[in-house]
């Protein structure tokens, strides 16, 4: 069972500067309030690029800790993608993508995520989880925009 979600915002800053922020894994907690800490377990090329491995610990509200692998990274186009490798039972597949695109007076940040849930494990809970996760994503991009207003 596949579920998709997205959050986006306009930021009054240069795209390269914002891409540097969203792709700095260990700095994620500074703009995603539901994240407690992100630790880079294995660097990529460049440091936060492919195939970096990061551990994301969420603040206590039922999510715990997951590990994610960076699967695509292109600073020039302002995008990177990641997939969950450990810590979310019942997720068969997953892909998250950040895209920072130039816009007049700044840039647009789009955070897209899709999950492929095992219906036997998640059932109706998948929809509830995705709505809650979407709220965390929206809170994160809003925080990022407010920090650069």
């Amino acid at each position: 069972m596949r579920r998709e979600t997205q959050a986006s915002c306009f930021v009054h800053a240069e795209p390269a500067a914002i891409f540097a922020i969203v792709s700095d894994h260990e700095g994620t907690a500074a703009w995603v309030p539901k994240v407690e800490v992100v630790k880079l377990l294995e660097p990529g090329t460049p440091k936060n690029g492919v195939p970096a491995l990061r551990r994301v610990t969420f603040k206590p509200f039922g999510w715990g800790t997951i590990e994610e692998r960076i699967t695509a990274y292109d600073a020039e186009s302002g995008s990177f993608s990641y997939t969950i490798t450990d810590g979310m039972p019942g997720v068969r597949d997953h892909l998250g993508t950040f895209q920072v695109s130039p816009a007049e007076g700044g840039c647009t940040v789009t955070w897209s995520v899709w999950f492929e849930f095992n219906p036997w494990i998640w059932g109706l809970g998948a929809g509830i989880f995705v709505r809650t996760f979407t709220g965390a994503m929206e809170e994160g991009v809003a925080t990022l925009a407010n920090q650069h207003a």
Side-chain angles (χ1 to χ4, degrees), residues 20-97:
I21 292 168
V22 300
S23 65
D24 174 17
H25 310 308
E26 293 178 313
T28 303
W31 63 275
V32 181
K34 296 290 189 267
V35 170
E36 183 175 323
V37 66
V38 177
K39 179 177 171 87
L40 190 61
L41 301 177
E42 297 172 13
T45 304
K47 177 184 171 189
N48 292 313
V50 176
L53 181 67
R54 64 187 185 182
R55 178 177 295 135
V56 182
T57 302
F58 294 96
K59 291 185 180 172
F61 73 111
W63 290 355
T65 299
I66 60 172
E67 289 184 5
E68 298 173 328
R69 173 86 57 197
I70 305 306
T71 59
Y73 182 95
D74 186 346
E76 189 173 314
S77 70
S79 69
F80 79 92
S81 297
Y82 59 92
T83 189
I84 295 173
T85 60
D86 190 34
M88 191 169 282
V91 172
R92 293 179 174 163
D93 204 359
H94 164 275
L95 185 67
T97 300

